[in-house]
Amino acid sequence: MALNITRGVVPKAQKLAVYGVEGVGKTTLASKMPDPLFIDTEGGSSYLDVRRLDTPKSWTALMQDIDEVIAEVPCSTLVIDTADWAERLCSEWVCKREGKASIEDFGYGKGYVKMAEEFGRLLDKLTDVTGAGMHVALLAHAEVRKFEEPNEASAYDRWELKLSKTGQKKIAPMVKEWADALLFLNYAQIIENVAKEGQAPRYKARGGKRTVYATHHACWDAKNRWGLPDEFPLSWEAIAPHMPDLHPSPRAQAAPPAPAPAAPPPAAVPGSEPVPPYWAPLLQLMAPKGVVPEEVRKVAASLGHFTPETKLAALPEEYIAGFCVAEWPKLEAKILEMRAAEPVPFD
């Protein structure tokens, strides 16, 4: 078979990671991207007029949201705000699944390895988002860490992604490898000696201009494949040519439709028993298919975990989080299977 050889730049959706100090403008920058849709894990977009999904209350809900975005293609740019809060959901999910109170309880860094493997699944899904023709912007906070060069005598401070770097598989390096561009946002400051002649040196910082750093430096991680300058003032205009809207639609210009009235949560169904607050992540997963708490109890009884008479409030938090939320796709399939098996009533 003859080889099909092509040449030239191939337009494709971009994978962008943006990290920076608190309040520097990461979320505002993402709001300027083509037709953005936010999965806001920490509530940072609440002051902006942007489209967003409900805040995921569990790792399972986050992964489910991304699957639905891939299937429906509801935007031109999917924004995850932020990666470090998503990592917290991942850590909680791994601990509940394995019956551990903390990621440190695994010992020998095994918990971090499991967490990195699961976070890798998230990055794979985000790559699938770009395959569906949507850009992905992964936002994260920054923190100062000690860094040791193999050929240097001592360590020094540098800015890095506020993500796990423990264990055999490290999440921060995984994100850096995944991204087409990694941009660091900070305030550019100048340190000057303000002491008068003859006095001991006295230094003062001035400036504070919001700046984007786009290439690697000893003091921060950054990279890009777009030919951006080493640093430039924070603005979307410099980045826009490299993240065009790949499928412009009237949705991006039209006024957003009025939100539909929210459906009552399953716990509010007439005749339903009240459930404790720790059910919140599960209720979020139940809502799309209209699952009610009684159906969860019915499945739990069919599996022999509890009796049909067990009160919903008596289902322990460890069971709700460690089984129902962690294994929701299997639980949901079982509920739908039981629904299908129920006899259809005759009029």
Side-chain angles (χ1 to χ4, degrees), residues 28 46 79 108 110 117 120 132 138 209 253 281 291 331 338 341 344:
T28 302
S46 58
V79 182
Y108 304 102
K110 292 180 180 178
E117 290 172 351
L138 190 59
K209 187 176 182 180
Q253 290 79 30
V291 176
L331 184 62
M338 293 178 70
V344 179

Side-chain angles (χ1 to χ4, degrees), residues 10-347:
V10 179
K12 66 169 188 172
Q14 299 295 305
K15 298 176 290 187
L16 172 63
V18 178
Y19 75 112
V21 298
E22 295 80 0
V24 73
K26 302 180 290 294
T27 304
T28 302
L29 177 66
S31 72
K32 309 292 185 183
M33 296 176 183
D35 189 21
L37 176 64
F38 280 71
I39 298 181
D40 191 348
T41 60
E42 64 169 60
S45 72
S46 58
Y47 65 96
L48 294 172
D49 182 15
V50 295
R51 296 190 305 137
R52 64 180 68 81
L53 300 179
D54 291 341
T55 299
K57 293 182 172 65
S58 66
W59 180 252
T60 305
L62 173 60
M63 299 292 268
Q64 200 171 71
D65 284 346
I66 296 172
D67 284 336
E68 292 174 3
V69 167
I70 294 170
E72 298 181 17
V73 192
C75 60
S76 294
T77 307
L78 178 65
V79 182
I80 308 296
D81 188 8
T82 59
D84 33 304
W85 279 62
E87 185 189 57
R88 289 175 57 180
L89 294 176
C90 181
S91 175
E92 291 172 4
W93 184 84
V94 169
C95 290
K96 295 295 185 183
R97 183 187 64 181
E98 304 291 336
K100 304 290 186 181
S102 164
I103 203 71
E104 298 285 353
D105 291 351
F106 288 86
Y108 304 102
K110 292 180 180 178
Y112 290 99
V113 173
K114 291 179 180 291
M115 188 168 67
E117 290 172 351
E118 188 61 30
F119 204 91
R121 287 183 55 228
L122 171 68
L123 297 179
D124 289 342
K125 283 184 182 290
L126 294 179
T127 298
D128 292 341
V129 171
T130 63
M134 294 167 280
H135 302 299
V136 174
L138 190 59
L139 310 186
H141 294 98
E143 68 177 356
V144 176
R145 287 177 173 164
K146 289 289 184 184
F147 183 79
E148 293 187 14
E149 286 278 11
N151 59 340
E152 295 293 338
S154 61
Y156 58 90
D157 291 340
R158 71 196 307 262
W159 287 103
E160 295 187 2
L161 287 158
K162 192 178 179 181
L163 293 169
S164 169
K165 289 192 66 177
T166 307
Q168 298 174 4
K169 294 187 176 181
K170 303 172 182 179
I171 292 178
M174 288 168 59
V175 170
K176 288 186 281 187
E177 292 172 9
W178 167 85
D180 294 313
L182 174 69
L183 304 181
F184 172 53
L185 278 53
N186 201 358
Y187 296 93
Q189 296 178 331
I190 298 174
I191 309 299
E192 60 181 354
N193 184 3
V194 296
K196 295 180 180 179
E197 186 177 352
Q199 293 181 337
R202 185 163 60 90
Y203 298 98
K204 191 173 184 179
R206 65 177 177 85
K209 187 176 182 180
R210 299 182 188 205
T211 304
V212 179
Y213 299 94
T215 56
H216 182 78
H217 187 277
C219 296
W220 57 76
D221 284 319
K223 70 170 188 178
N224 78 92
R225 298 169 180 164
W226 304 335
L228 294 173
D230 293 346
E231 62 180 78
F232 53 91
L234 176 57
S235 71
W236 170 242
E237 286 69 24
I239 304 169
H242 310 286
M243 290 183 65
D245 194 338
L246 298 179
H247 45 86
S249 70
R251 178 186 63 242
Q253 290 79 30
V269 175
S272 170
E273 297 175 30
V275 294
Y278 59 74
W279 273 65
L282 181 58
L283 295 179
Q284 186 180 48
L285 295 172
M286 293 161 56
K289 294 291 177 65
V291 176
V292 295
E294 283 76 7
E295 291 178 299
V296 174
R297 174 168 51 196
K298 195 178 294 185
V299 170
S302 72
L303 296 173
H305 297 165
F306 298 93
T307 67
E309 294 77 25
T310 303
K311 295 289 186 182
L312 294 172
L315 297 179
E317 182 175 1
E318 294 75 15
Y319 183 76
I320 296 300
F323 174 71
C324 297
V325 173
E327 302 293 339
W328 174 247
K330 296 178 183 177
L331 184 62
E332 182 184 52
K334 183 68 175 175
I335 290 170
L336 298 179
E337 179 185 321
M338 293 178 70
R339 283 182 181 178
E342 290 178 354
V344 179
F346 292 97
D347 292 332

